[in-house]
Amino acid sequence: MTQYGTLSPEAAPGTIPEGDALLNHADRSLLIVDDDKPFSTRLARAMEARGYRVHVAESVAEGVSAVDVQPPAFAVIDMRLGDGNGLDVIARLKERRPEARGVILTGYGNIATAVTAVKLGAFDYLAKPADADEIHGTLMAEPGERADPPENPMSADRVRWEHIQRVYELCGRNVSETARRLNMHRRTLQRILAKRAPR
């Protein structure tokens, strides 16, 4: 199994901005568990540039195995993975390294579950799509302190659209079932689904 990578030249400690909270953390190992490969690849590069030593896993099984081999100081874990729930990785991480900071990434339809994740040991949760600055700020936040809000958060219309799309996918793209679960008229839902995503 690949261990946490060494810092790339552009991510060497000397290039981290002065006063960066990461300088206070001797162990900068970060585990990313996400089965969206393009997203995890971009995030890994961005976090390496911020001084982390990154290892990427694409499933619950890989994530748990990585924690067992070498529990990281930090973790960014998707809630929904192809072989199960990211909470299993958080639970194992808290067993192996209680002081580790694990952040759960979740779709807007799973916010209530994400709150449960925090109760089970996650340091915090972020709604997708979260960028590297937001994730870094959350990992570095002091206990009880919230990270700075994003500069360009989703609009309320986009949040609503994302939630509808998620329920639609979970219902197997069945319009009638989605409308029933959202307590929405079928024709109204069809109009929303036919439109492009709002900004």
Side-chain angles (χ1 to χ4, degrees):
M1 175 176 295
T2 304
Q3 295 301 306
Y4 297 91
T6 56
L7 294 177
S8 57
E10 69 271 19
T15 66
I16 299 172
E18 189 175 347
D20 193 309
L22 193 57
L23 289 170
N24 298 323
H25 294 268
D27 185 350
R28 301 171 188 176
S29 56
L30 168 67
L31 174 64
I32 296 173
V33 186
D34 199 302
D35 53 11
D36 181 344
K37 197 159 188 175
F39 171 78
S40 62
T41 299
R42 288 194 307 271
L43 180 59
R45 288 175 182 163
M47 298 306 278
E48 284 173 350
R50 287 162 177 76
Y52 295 86
R53 293 182 299 108
V54 180
H55 175 76
V56 177
E58 296 182 5
S59 65
V60 171
E62 286 183 20
V64 169
S65 180
V67 168
D68 285 342
V69 171
Q70 189 177 350
F74 303 98
V76 178
I77 303 167
D78 193 4
M79 174 77 81
R80 292 178 59 87
L81 295 159
D83 63 340
N85 194 309
L87 291 181
D88 292 338
V89 184
I90 282 287
R92 182 63 63 89
L93 178 60
K94 297 309 287 186
E95 287 175 11
R96 296 296 308 277
R97 190 167 183 174
E99 78 281 8
R101 292 186 172 192
V103 172
I104 286 286
L105 298 181
T106 176
Y108 278 90
N110 277 339
I111 296 298
T113 311
V115 173
T116 302
V118 172
K119 292 178 181 177
L120 293 175
F123 182 70
D124 207 339
Y125 67 90
L126 292 170
K128 279 187 164 183
D131 64 24
D133 285 335
E134 192 176 0
I135 290 169
H136 172 66
T138 300
L139 290 173
M140 292 296 107
E142 293 299 322
E145 171 188 301
R146 302 297 295 184
D148 292 335
E151 289 294 328
N152 298 300
M154 281 189 189
S155 67
D157 286 341
R158 179 59 187 258
V159 172
R160 178 174 180 262
W161 185 88
E162 291 280 353
H163 178 62
I164 289 170
Q165 291 292 325
R166 181 167 187 77
V167 175
Y168 181 51
E169 291 297 331
L170 290 173
C171 290
R173 304 176 72 84
N174 182 310
V175 174
S176 296
E177 179 64 11
T178 304
R180 185 185 73 77
R181 288 178 180 269
L182 291 171
N183 196 25
M184 181 183 291
H185 195 283
R186 191 175 188 279
R187 288 182 182 174
T188 302
L189 176 60
Q190 286 177 314
R191 284 197 297 272
I192 292 170
L193 294 172
K195 293 179 180 178
R196 288 186 176 183
R199 293 183 178 275

